[in-house]
Amino acid sequence: MNQAGRRHEKRAGDRGGYRAGGSRAGAVALLLAGAMALTACGAGSGSDGTPDLSSGSRKGQSSTGGGQPAPDAVAPETGRSAAPEGDAESGASAAPDVKAPDYLSTFALDVDTASYGYARRTLGDGRLPAAEDVRPEEFVNSFRQGYERPEGNGFSVNVDGARIGSGEGGGGGTGASDWSLLRVGLATKTAPPASERPPAALTFVVDISGSMSETGRLDLVRKSLTILTDELRDDDSLSLVTFSNEAETRLPMTRVKGNRNRIKDVVAEMEPAQSTNVEAGITRGYEESVEGHREGATNRVVLLSDALANTGDTEADGILKKIDSARREYGITLFGVGVGSDYGDAFMEQLTNKGDGNTTYVGDETQARKVFVDQLPAHLEIRARDAKAQVAFDRKNVQQFRLIGYENRKVADEDFRNDSVDGGEVGPGHTVTALYAVRLREGASGTVAKATVRWLDPKTRKAEEETGTVTTGSVDGTLWGGENDRLQVAAVAAYFADRLRGGDLPGAPGLGELASRASGLAESTEDSAVEKLATAIGQADRLQRGAGADDEPEPSEGEIG
């Protein structure tokens, strides 16, 4: 059973790096670790007339997990390892300054799904997605998980898991026998009826560059905005900015009531033009959003583009500096909607991650309706700002762990409760899933991990926290062939992403087996999204085999991180 309880303490967590090591201990191991610590210490020490929307920048997410890696995690092949707490043979007197291994994992929440949507589009076009465009967390977060929802405006914390290496039909993959898959699931309360949400003031920034002339780009944007215009309430407001080599305001902030036909006419008039100056579009969009800002409303900039910037500033950091004060002072968030068979996925993600927003991908009219009708409240409202998660693994029971994905969302462990460090924004009805590959120590019993989520209330800016704990009894069941279909769907999505980017997760089945499992899960869950996942995996399997990849690479049993 999962255990969850609210905490509001300001107590800081343990400090350190990212991963934990084995249980072997002794004087030799500690002396070697001490030598490494000493070596590390001695390594060194370290005019265009537009409104100015910039200000001092906010501290962003770390590019690493923070802190130094644990001595046992640096070079496991040498045999260095950390003794569990209470080990009588710790030999601490031989190396009193050795830093304790790190059993913390800290990251900013992410509700993006664009990586999966774009991968499906690419596979459908007969191409394998580039490894750098594959983000496992976005594959996993594309599927329903069935988590218990909170009663209030915060998060529920659900933690469970299963053993990887056994189950009906085998399929554990190489090196999986002593590994488990741990799932940390966070969920917000479902959205209220449309009539109860706050009014929205939306500024649409539409790419009309030459590359948008391809079928499935600007034509799809027109359909999307037409669908949205019919879905918005009378008290919502909308403005429209287009950009190619320059930006132009096509419609200032306008109330929807009495103006639906006018809005549709402006949308229909958009035609492809020249180059792609995303900087000009976003800057003008934020100017319009500030000009039309409404107190008490959800003020948001929505970028619709193939994100293939080639004019002006083409770096996300540079673009966002120009609109930083508007983003912070007015609370204007950025929502990215990607389109096109050639799509700047990484660039769009960088913009929205640092623009306090999220991104999705629209490949056809069905997906457009899903985004702009079914998921509209989740994309408009913000339930939690700067949300971060920290998972503390119990060193007495956990030998190794690895967070699957979230590489560019890592936060230094010591910054978990530093609310000036950027986190993720989460709307109503969203779920966020983090999967870990976990290797338990022999004879492990008791707590495996405690997960804590911290966020700021979007109105009061007050920090709140919620926790959940998982024990060894909750991860002893079998993954494949077990009763938890939704956990298996998450596992298939994660392993699929890992295979696409050439990863080596322990226990990862080959693409053929993953496609078969996805098909079975589609039948048991009666979920068309899972059937589409099975189709995508089958396409990837055929493409890899056609490229001469008949023999799937086997994952490593060694240290991972």
Side-chain angles (χ1 to χ4, degrees), residues 3 15 52 76 97-98 180 218 235 333 367 524 535:
Q3 303 172 0
R15 304 294 191 257
D52 181 9
D97 295 328
V98 173
S180 297
L218 188 56
D235 61 342
T333 55
Q367 291 175 318
S524 62
T535 298

Side-chain angles (χ1 to χ4, degrees), residues 210-374:
S211 63
M212 292 291 287
S213 62
E214 176 192 299
T215 300
R217 298 194 186 195
L218 188 56
D219 60 320
L220 185 56
V221 170
R222 292 194 201 97
K223 290 179 182 178
S224 299
L225 291 181
T226 300
I227 291 169
L228 178 68
T229 301
D230 287 330
E231 289 298 314
L232 291 175
R233 295 195 321 231
D234 284 350
D235 61 342
D236 292 329
S237 300
L238 182 151
S239 65
L240 180 64
V241 171
T242 60
F243 69 91
S244 55
N245 58 321
E246 295 180 348
E248 177 185 356
T249 300
R250 298 292 186 100
L251 184 73
M253 193 64 73
T254 302
R255 289 294 175 102
V256 172
K257 183 178 181 179
N259 290 298
R260 294 183 196 274
N261 289 335
R262 179 189 173 195
I263 293 169
K264 292 178 181 179
D265 287 343
V266 173
V267 168
E269 291 169 358
M270 296 187 300
E271 293 293 339
Q274 303 175 36
S275 54
T276 310
N277 191 336
V278 176
E279 173 196 1
I282 290 181
T283 302
R284 175 65 68 87
Y286 269 84
E287 291 169 4
E288 289 295 330
S289 188
V290 168
E291 181 70 23
H293 184 268
R294 292 176 57 185
E295 290 293 336
T298 300
N299 295 271
R300 190 146 226 204
V301 171
V302 183
L303 173 64
L304 298 103
S305 174
D306 59 15
L308 301 176
N310 56 23
T311 304
D313 195 335
T314 58
E315 297 294 328
D317 286 342
I319 293 172
L320 292 173
K321 282 180 181 178
K322 294 177 173 62
I323 50 89
D324 189 62
S325 66
R327 178 176 65 85
R328 295 168 59 202
E329 182 179 348
Y330 292 91
I332 300 169
T333 55
L334 180 63
F335 175 40
V337 181
V339 296
S341 57
D342 291 320
Y343 164 56
D345 175 66
F347 178 59
M348 181 73 89
E349 193 218 14
Q350 291 167 6
L351 283 171
T352 55
N353 280 355
K354 298 176 182 179
D356 292 340
N358 58 289
T359 184
T360 191
Y361 180 85
V362 172
D364 54 39
E365 189 170 346
T366 299
Q367 291 175 318
R369 289 188 177 277
K370 181 178 179 181
V371 169
F372 291 112
V373 178
D374 301 340

